[in-house]
Amino acid sequence: MGISIHSQGFELGAEIHDRIKRQLARRLGRIDGDVMSVEIYLSDVNGPRDGAEYKKAVMRASLAGQPPVSVTAVHGRLEVAIDRSARRLKRAMAKATRRHRRIEGNKVRKFRRLAYEAIPV
């Protein structure tokens, strides 16, 4: 699983990189084989303007044989935004995987039925 981290508006330290990798390993450990890559985009919502500072964490995961899954979390603390988006990514990926298996199973059953009907008696 390849992980790429992009930040906009602020510099990331080594502890943030380690935190992201730990969160993804913890959350996605069981489905690591299906995940091809994860892209993380971190940004400051307000930028250089005055006001409350909110950080946004967007995570996009590419799954094998499926469309990519993307989630977003916004919070005042970057660590919380990362944790929330990792948790949401885990749920979204599990849901996408269940949906994919259900749809593929229906296709196989339909194909078997059509193949059985095509056999002359």
Side-chain angles (χ1 to χ4, degrees), residues 41 55-59 70-74 81 84-85 88-89:
Y41 300 94
K55 306 293 186 201
K56 180 165 84 170
V58 178
M59 293 190 182
S70 180
V71 295
T72 303
V74 178
R84 284 184 182 176
S85 61
R88 289 176 183 171
L89 184 65

Side-chain angles (χ1 to χ4, degrees), residues 91-104:
R91 285 195 313 255
M93 289 175 60
K95 183 178 178 180
T97 303
R98 283 193 309 269
R99 183 183 308 129
H100 179 72
R101 287 181 183 155
R102 186 181 69 235
I103 290 170
E104 289 299 315

Side-chain angles (χ1 to χ4, degrees), residues 1-120:
M1 169 175 65
I3 300 174
S4 63
I5 304 170
H6 310 279
S7 66
Q8 182 179 18
F10 56 91
E11 293 295 323
L12 293 178
E15 68 179 45
I16 297 294
H17 282 276
D18 293 340
R19 182 181 191 89
I20 291 171
K21 290 180 182 179
R22 275 197 321 269
Q23 283 294 327
L24 289 177
R26 194 172 107 212
R27 301 284 182 192
L28 307 180
R30 294 180 65 192
I31 54 177
D32 190 23
D34 295 336
V35 180
M36 295 172 57
S37 67
V38 178
E39 296 177 17
I40 298 118
Y41 300 94
L42 306 172
S43 63
D44 188 2
V45 174
N46 290 337
R49 297 182 302 229
D50 291 337
E53 291 192 22
Y54 286 101
K55 306 293 186 201
K56 180 165 84 170
V58 178
M59 293 190 182
R60 181 182 171 117
S62 298
L63 301 169
Q66 299 178 37
V69 176
S70 180
V71 295
T72 303
V74 178
H75 197 271
R77 291 180 42 213
L78 182 61
E79 297 83 11
V80 176
I82 291 169
D83 294 347
R84 284 184 182 176
S85 61
R87 186 174 41 234
R88 289 176 183 171
L89 184 65
K90 175 187 174 187
R91 285 195 313 255
M93 289 175 60
K95 183 178 178 180
T97 303
R98 283 193 309 269
R99 183 183 308 129
H100 179 72
R101 287 181 183 155
R102 186 181 69 235
I103 290 170
E104 289 299 315
N106 289 341
K107 287 180 183 178
V108 168
R109 283 192 292 276
K110 184 177 180 181
F111 178 74
R112 286 181 183 163
R113 188 185 73 221
L114 292 174
Y116 180 74
E117 291 172 359
I119 298 174

